[in-house]
Amino acid sequence: MRITTLAEYGVICALHLAKRVGEGPVTGRDIAARERLPVDYVEQILLRLRRSGLVKSTRGAHGGYALALAPEAISVRDVIAGSGLQTI
């Protein structure tokens, strides 16, 4: 099985959010910078993850993204399949 770049980056973003549970919302730009990923890709992935219910977003000056569930409740399969980050 081959994993798309979008799926790979989705897993990286989810892992980043899992590492930062309890620290408050994290911006897409911060994730992109720390993980050395394209900002546009990260924002697109986070939007998909939010629509799937795996990530929640907070608006405002101190807003950003956080996991909507406990990290141990989310599998790699959830991130790839459940969020529309399809495999080829």
Side-chain angles (χ1 to χ4, degrees):
M1 172 183 359
R2 188 166 173 238
I3 304 293
T4 64
T5 303
L6 201 60
E8 180 184 351
Y9 289 178
V11 171
I12 291 169
C13 290
L15 286 171
H16 184 91
L17 291 173
K19 290 180 204 171
R20 296 186 64 181
V21 166
E23 294 181 18
V26 182
T27 65
R29 287 190 181 278
D30 186 40
I31 294 171
R34 289 178 186 245
E35 299 294 339
R36 296 185 179 149
L37 300 173
V39 176
D40 293 339
Y41 240 36
V42 169
E43 292 291 345
Q44 181 183 29
I45 290 164
L46 291 170
L47 179 63
R48 289 179 182 211
L49 292 172
R50 184 179 60 80
R51 286 181 181 156
S52 73
L54 297 174
V55 168
K56 62 183 177 181
S57 62
T58 306
R59 297 175 80 172
H62 300 288
Y65 297 90
L67 292 180
L69 306 168
E72 55 273 3
I74 301 172
S75 70
V76 172
R77 181 179 184 173
D78 293 335
V79 175
I80 294 172
S83 63
L85 303 172
Q86 304 298 327
T87 59
I88 295 175

